[in-house]
């Protein structure tokens, strides 16, 4: 069995349970890790979309994180919804203070289309957080926003990933779900090479929280001491299976089945 692995999640709460800290906690737990949180915002949402966002005051966000770090500790930090430039700056300071490996999921837009990051904060993510990322996990629109490059093809994913490495990220997992085609190709790009993760596209509207889930699964592997490629490979398989087994809840973009390892692969 891998070591427990402590993951501090700095992200927003999803009342529907499909994404945000709820998806993160489920994922870390399902993979045998220990999840703690510093919540940045409370969102009002279900599978039909986000209807409200209540930001948590910065001093409370910081106090949550420092309370966890000073007592329980962490082996990896995972970030999700940060909301605005001030929160991004706070998280950057926390990461710099701890020196812990960080998995940065640059969450910008909810599955239903609601903005989860202020437009003015994109530059802060690029300048303050990307250089601190042990692993950055953007989808195509997020990569476009961070690099200014069009991301339409798999080759575009590669070019954007290399640009993000040049901005300081130690590794980048470029998610290919927005790239058209019958197969989905994600690219793990590091200074030493590239690893592709490829599978048949799953025709499903139940994909809410996929990015949160994948990033948290990667963070769990790193917290447990897995090498990067092994951590991403396990995370990719876990997320793929969670999509396949989605319970079908809700009338919109439904959640994944985060607990599938409890029931096995049958």
């Amino acid at each position: 069995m891998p070591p427990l692995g402590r993951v501090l999640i700095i992200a927003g709460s999803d009342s529907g349970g499909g994404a945000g800290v709820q998806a993160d906690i489920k994922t870390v737990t399902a993979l045998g890790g220990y999840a703690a949180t510093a919540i940045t915002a409370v969102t009002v949402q279900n599978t039909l979309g986000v209807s409200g966002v209540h930001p948590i005051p910065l001093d409370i966000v910081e106090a949550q994180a420092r309370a966890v770090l000073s007592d329980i500790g962490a082996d990896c930090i995972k970030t999700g919804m940060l909301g605005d430039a001030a929160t991004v700056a706070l998280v950057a300071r926390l990461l710099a203070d701890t020196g812990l490996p960080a998995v940065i999921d640059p969450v910008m837009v909810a599955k239903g289309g609601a903005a989860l990051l202020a437009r003015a904060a994109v530059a802060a993510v690029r300048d303050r957080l990307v250089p601190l990322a042990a692993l950055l996990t953007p989808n195509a629109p997020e990569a476009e926003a961070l690099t200014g490059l069009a991301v339409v093809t798999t080759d575009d994913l590669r070019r954007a990933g290399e640009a993000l490495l040049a901005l300081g990220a130690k590794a980048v997992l470029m998610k290919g779900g927005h790239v058209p085609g019958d197969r989905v190709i994600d690219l793990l790009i590091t200074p030493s090479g590239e690893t592709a993760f490829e599978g048949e596209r799953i025709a499903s509207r139940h994909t809410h929280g996929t990015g949160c889930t994948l990033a948290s699964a990667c963070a769990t592997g790193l917290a447990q001491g897995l090498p990067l490629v092994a951590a991403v490979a396990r995370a990719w398989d876990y997320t793929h299976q969670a999509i396949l087994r989605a319970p079908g809840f809700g009338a919109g973009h439904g959640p994944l089945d985060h607990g599938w390892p409890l029931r096995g692969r049958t």
Side-chain angles (χ1 to χ4, degrees), residues 32-256:
Y34 181 87
T37 63
I39 297 176
T40 59
V42 174
T43 69
V44 180
Q45 65 176 296
N46 54 25
T47 69
L48 298 175
V50 178
S51 57
V53 176
H54 176 70
I56 302 299
L58 287 179
D59 59 336
I60 300 300
V61 176
E62 181 172 10
Q64 291 175 84
R66 293 199 184 278
V68 171
L69 292 167
S70 67
D71 177 33
I72 296 167
D75 301 296
C76 185
I77 294 176
K78 183 264 180 184
T79 72
M81 175 190 174
L82 300 181
D84 58 28
T87 306
V88 171
L90 167 63
V91 171
R93 290 197 300 273
L94 286 168
L95 294 180
D97 287 349
T98 66
L100 291 168
V103 175
I104 307 295
D105 184 14
V107 175
M108 296 182 186
V109 178
K111 184 69 69 177
L116 299 178
L117 182 71
R119 191 177 300 274
V122 174
V125 172
R126 182 188 64 235
D127 298 338
R128 301 289 298 273
L129 284 187
V130 169
L132 297 173
L135 178 64
L136 184 71
T137 64
N139 59 29
E142 292 161 351
E144 287 183 342
L146 291 170
T147 65
L149 301 172
V151 181
V152 180
T153 68
T154 300
D155 283 341
D156 292 339
L157 286 176
R158 185 174 291 110
R159 279 189 288 272
E162 290 169 349
L164 290 165
L165 285 183
L167 289 173
K170 305 299 183 295
V172 184
L173 180 58
M174 298 295 301
K175 297 179 293 192
H178 289 80
V179 175
D182 293 334
R183 299 185 69 79
V184 174
I185 302 173
D186 294 349
L187 299 178
L188 175 61
I189 301 171
T190 73
S192 60
E194 174 188 298
T195 305
F197 299 90
E198 180 175 354
E200 292 287 338
R201 187 177 298 274
I202 302 168
S204 173
R205 61 180 171 84
H206 299 287
T207 56
H208 181 54
T210 301
C212 303
T213 299
L214 181 61
S216 286
C218 290
T220 306
L222 294 179
Q224 293 170 332
L226 292 179
L228 177 62
V229 174
V232 174
R234 186 184 70 166
W236 203 91
D237 178 67
Y238 169 80
T239 305
H240 181 78
Q241 291 294 326
I243 298 170
L244 284 175
R245 299 160 188 269
F249 296 154
H253 298 288
L256 314 184

